């Protein structure tokens, strides 16, 4: 049995609550039914929306949004067996899902009209779907807004609307058996794997944009319902089970792929995410703004390339991969200490400028070591090409292999190898975060002066964080060199169209949530996947990226996955303000 710790305020539209809920439910069912009708008469639009009785392409997204809207509407109405869907809020999830369904459906219809040359190309289903989704949205906007009991509702309509994105206090639920909680955690990661796989497997840009629109509203709806917090409580209780489930889901990813091109995206996402997690040690835990972090990735990559046995290597020495990994990590560690020792006495903007300079110095130095402008070590702008594939214990990562009846291609093999390194980095991060050193890093990040006053050697600990972050980046760079075949200076700019680069690495940490494990992983996945899928928008990539960051800072400044400290820092805590005026001894003039 659950109790809901929320109350409601006036709806955005002046419609009675019962009539609004019924309107939203009928509209959602009508939208769902429209997906079984043809939306257009020609198969020229991607996804073949000409079939009656079998949804395809963007119709599947509309069907999913409408189905979820109907389920949450029924759950909010108190239908038996669905109450577990809304432990935190009853109405705001319906509003968000209705808005997501409306946006996805209207985007699909407008895309058909634009690509095929007008609304005349729409079949009956293409007319019914947008109208029914509009009815759903009107009904959802008529529902009262859920508000935490300790926070009174804001007055303006815009504030009432945007309040739907803020999660309420969760209700108290009856305890479940341990086996049931473990099954819920496993199911949650299974659903996450399915959503991630669906996003990577989208075959055309129109479908991926529709996927982003639905996820963009669906994820806040789930959070607004209180499911995220309830799942968070379960994962906090079963931490080891959660970590195991996460890596089992990640391990299963390449076995879901029939095209190695999509596994390529997965492997590169893991490289990007692992480096971002290393940067999270520096920025998220210790609070050091490092704008040249990608240089440490380059140090590891160049070290591995020089000792890889490539015909273009100027060293002429080939080391086993394990030795190359240690060499790359050690080289990055040395560079981290050499750069950090004289610069970490700086603070704030000055430290950021120095690290930015180091990143550019590294790139220019690698470019000039061509035998003309400097010693012949890195082949200058041409880099080190023809890096051979790895071979460990007779397993060649460049050749397809049959594992558990599934053929894994080259990038699937490297994905699994990179997953092993990700496990190492996550373990190091978790142990560091929960240790005495991790608590000292957090103290330095929050207030270095106070930390020094408590006896913390701030310089030594900051240097340790800098060196650890550099080591993790160098380790990931050794794998990147073999995945990309070639290492060139152009790969390690501060801003580049294709991540990883210093700007995108820092953005991944901030977007996902500083100081958390899953935050940078999710942020890196989004920042790599979106440009990879929307290549036709590459000319406007930085513009769209800037707009997205502005929106994030406005509505979610603590990041997508935030720890409790960041939530309290960026949002109101509900505590009483400090007393104003003369009270106590001050009233007597003391």
């Amino acid at each position: 049995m659950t109790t809901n710790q929320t109350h409601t305020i006036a709806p955005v539209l002046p419609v009675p609550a019962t009539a609004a809920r019924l309107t939203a439910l009928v509209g959602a069912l009508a939208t769902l039914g429209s997906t079984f009708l043809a939306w257009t008469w020609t198969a020229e639009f991607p996804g073949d929306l000409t079939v009656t009785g079998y949804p395809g392409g963007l119709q599947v997204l509309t069907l999913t949004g409408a189905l979820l809207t109907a389920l949450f509407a029924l759950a909010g109405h108190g239908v038996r067996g669905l109450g577990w869907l809304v432990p935190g809020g009853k109405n705001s999830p319906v509003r968000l899902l209705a808005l997501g369904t409306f946006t996805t459906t209207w985007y699909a219809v407008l895309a058909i009209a634009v690509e095929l040359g007008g609304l005349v190309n729409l079949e009956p289903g293409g007319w019914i779907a947008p109208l029914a989704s509009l009815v759903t949205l009107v009904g959802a906007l008529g529902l009262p807004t859920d508000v935490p009991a300790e926070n009174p509702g804001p007055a303006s309509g815009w504030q009432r609307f945007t309040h739907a994105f803020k999660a309420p206090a969760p209700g108290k639920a009856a305890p479940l058996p341990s086996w049931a909680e473990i099954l819920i955690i496993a199911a949650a990661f299974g659903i996450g794997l399915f959503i991630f796989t669906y996003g990577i497997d989208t075959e055309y840009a129109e479908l991926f944009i529709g996927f982003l629109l639905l996820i963009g509203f669906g994820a806040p709806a789930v959070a607004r319902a209180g499911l995220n917090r309830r799942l968070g409580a379960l994962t906090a209780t079963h931490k080891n089970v959660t970590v195991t489930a996460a890596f089992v889901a990640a391990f299963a990813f390449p076995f879901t792929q029939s095209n190695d091109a999509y596994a390529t995206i997965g492997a590169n996402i893991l490289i990007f995410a692992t480096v971002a997690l290393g940067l999270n040690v520096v920025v998220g835990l210790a609070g050091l703004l490092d704008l040249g972090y990608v240089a440490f990735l380059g140090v590891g990559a160049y070290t591995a390339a020089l000792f890889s046995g490539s015909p273009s290597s100027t060293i002429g020495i080939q080391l086993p991969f394990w030795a190359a990994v240690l060499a790359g990590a050690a080289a990055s560690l040395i560079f981290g200490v050499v750069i950090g020792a004289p610069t970490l006495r700086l603070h704030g903007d000055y430290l950021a400028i120095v690290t930015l300079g180091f990143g550019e110095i590294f790139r220019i130095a690698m470019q000039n070591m061509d035998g003309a402008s400097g010693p012949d070590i890195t082949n200058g702008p041409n880099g080190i090409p023809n890096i051979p594939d790895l071979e460990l214990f007779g397993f060649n990562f460049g050749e397809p292999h049959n594992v558990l009846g599934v053929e894994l291609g080259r990038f699937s093999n490297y994905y699994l190898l990179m997953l092993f390194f990700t496990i190492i980095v996550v373990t190091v991060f978790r142990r560091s975060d929960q240790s005495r050193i991790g608590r000292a890093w957090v103290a330095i990040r929050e207030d270095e002066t106070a930390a020094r006053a408590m006896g913390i050697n701030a310089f030594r600990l900051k240097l340790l964080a800098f060196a650890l972050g550099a080591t993790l980046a160098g380790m990931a760079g050794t794998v990147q060199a073999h995945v990309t075949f070639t290492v060139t200076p152009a790969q390690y700019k501060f801003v580049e169209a294709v991540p990883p680069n210093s700007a995108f690495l820092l953005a991944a940490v901030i977007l996902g949530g500083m100081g958390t494990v899953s935050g940078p992983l999710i942020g890196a996945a989004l920042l790599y996947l979106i440009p990879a899928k929307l290549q036709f928008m590459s000319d406007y990539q930085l513009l769209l990226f800037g707009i997205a960051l502005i929106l994030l800072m406005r509505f979610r400044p603590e990041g997508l996955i935030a720890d409790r400290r960041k939530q309290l820092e960026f949002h109101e805590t509900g505590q009483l303000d400090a007393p104003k005026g003369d009270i106590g001894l001050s009233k007597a003039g003391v």
Side-chain angles (χ1 to χ4, degrees), residues 11 62 84 228 261 266 284 296 313 323 334 391 471 521:
T62 296
W84 60 272
N228 280 5
F296 299 120
S313 173
I334 293 172
E391 186 171 347
T471 304
L521 300 179

Side-chain angles (χ1 to χ4, degrees), residues 459-543:
F459 173 75
R460 186 178 65 182
L461 288 173
K462 288 194 296 183
L463 184 60
L464 178 61
F466 209 73
L468 178 59
T471 304
L472 297 178
M475 186 173 62
T478 60
V479 180
Q480 186 206 28
H482 293 274
V483 172
T484 59
F485 286 119
T486 302
V487 176
T488 62
Q491 294 175 320
Y492 306 105
K493 294 181 179 180
F494 174 70
V495 177
E496 179 64 21
V498 179
N501 54 67
S502 292
F504 272 60
L505 286 170
L506 184 61
V509 174
I510 297 174
L511 171 66
M514 293 189 295
T516 64
V517 174
S518 57
L521 300 179
I522 294 176
L526 290 175
L527 289 180
Y528 191 93
L529 182 60
I530 293 176
K533 286 294 183 179
L534 303 181
Q535 295 182 3
F536 71 97
M537 302 177 66
S538 58
D539 292 340
Y540 306 98
Q541 177 177 321
L542 293 179
L543 172 63

